[in-house]
Amino acid sequence: MAARVVGYLESARNLTGGAAALVGLALTFAGFAGAYWPVVVGGLYGAGALLAPPPRPPAPAFEDPSSRLDELRADLVTLRAYLDRVDLPAAATERLTALTGLLDGLLAPGWASEALAEDPEGVHVVARAVRRDVPESVDAYLRTRWWTRLAPGARAPEEELERQVALLHGEAQGLVDGLREAEELRQRSHTKYLEDRGGGGLRRTPPAETGRPPEP
């Protein structure tokens, strides 16, 4: 109860109402309120309290978007260590190296990862590739390869893995292309803004015809 009383005393409503009540007391001492000064002072206090802005709870402070990528960077390091330990076909290894290179470029601290952090769908694509798609593709290949040795299937597991990795690489490349196009659009928009603003203001006025060449 005491905390609520102290909270109200420190609230904007009480402070605003108190300021309005002081105005009422000033009017009373100046002789404007007369015998009704308690009503005037109380009314001004109530009006001030009603006009004061309501209490506003502080907005939650969430982490910076780029900081969400720290865990993904660590997970990519773990994924690369896993890929170094498994025996994969040369073609799939080459594709996976290119894929992890793209992911590493997107996640490396700097303006590229900052642009990625502002794209929730892009972050989801990277997280899905690192944490689920690549590990699942490699693990499925290893398990299927063992079974194929016992009973060959209709399609070689190496071909299936290479196709999966190619699809994942294409998805990552599409994300990179989309971020690049966004930057190109930003650059063109700035050019258009400068053109609309009249960017030719720096052009020098040609010298008047004086019959002699302009001075350097």
Side-chain angles (χ1 to χ4, degrees), residues 177-195:
D177 293 342
L179 293 174
R180 187 202 68 235
E181 291 172 1
E183 292 297 332
E184 291 176 348
L185 178 60
R186 177 184 177 188
Q187 184 185 34
R188 291 195 298 269
S189 297
H190 188 58
T191 301
K192 184 65 167 56
Y193 161 73
L194 293 176
E195 291 174 346

Side-chain angles (χ1 to χ4, degrees), residues 87-104:
D87 181 24
L88 298 175
T93 299
E94 183 178 352
R95 282 279 192 175
L96 283 170
T97 301
L99 172 59
T100 54
L102 280 178
L103 299 176
D104 185 61

Side-chain angles (χ1 to χ4, degrees), residues 41-148:
V41 173
L44 288 176
Y45 176 87
L50 291 175
L51 292 176
R56 179 178 59 86
F62 296 108
E63 62 181 354
D64 185 80
S66 59
S67 64
R68 296 179 299 176
L69 302 182
D70 292 339
E71 293 182 2
L72 267 178
R73 295 185 185 103
D75 291 342
L76 180 59
V77 172
T78 302
L79 175 63
R80 279 180 154 171
Y82 165 71
L83 295 177
D84 290 340
R85 295 197 306 269
V86 296
D87 181 24
L88 298 175
T93 299
E94 183 178 352
R95 282 279 192 175
L96 283 170
T97 301
L99 172 59
T100 54
L102 280 178
L103 299 176
D104 185 61
L106 287 170
L107 293 173
W111 61 266
S113 62
E114 292 173 0
L116 174 65
E118 298 299 327
D119 181 5
E121 181 60 29
V123 174
H124 175 69
V125 169
V126 174
R128 184 176 57 194
V130 172
R131 294 170 175 166
R132 189 184 70 186
D133 290 339
V134 173
E136 172 62 23
S137 294
V138 173
D139 188 61
Y141 161 75
L142 296 175
R143 288 183 282 112
T144 306
R145 183 180 63 176
W146 185 87
W147 284 106
T148 304

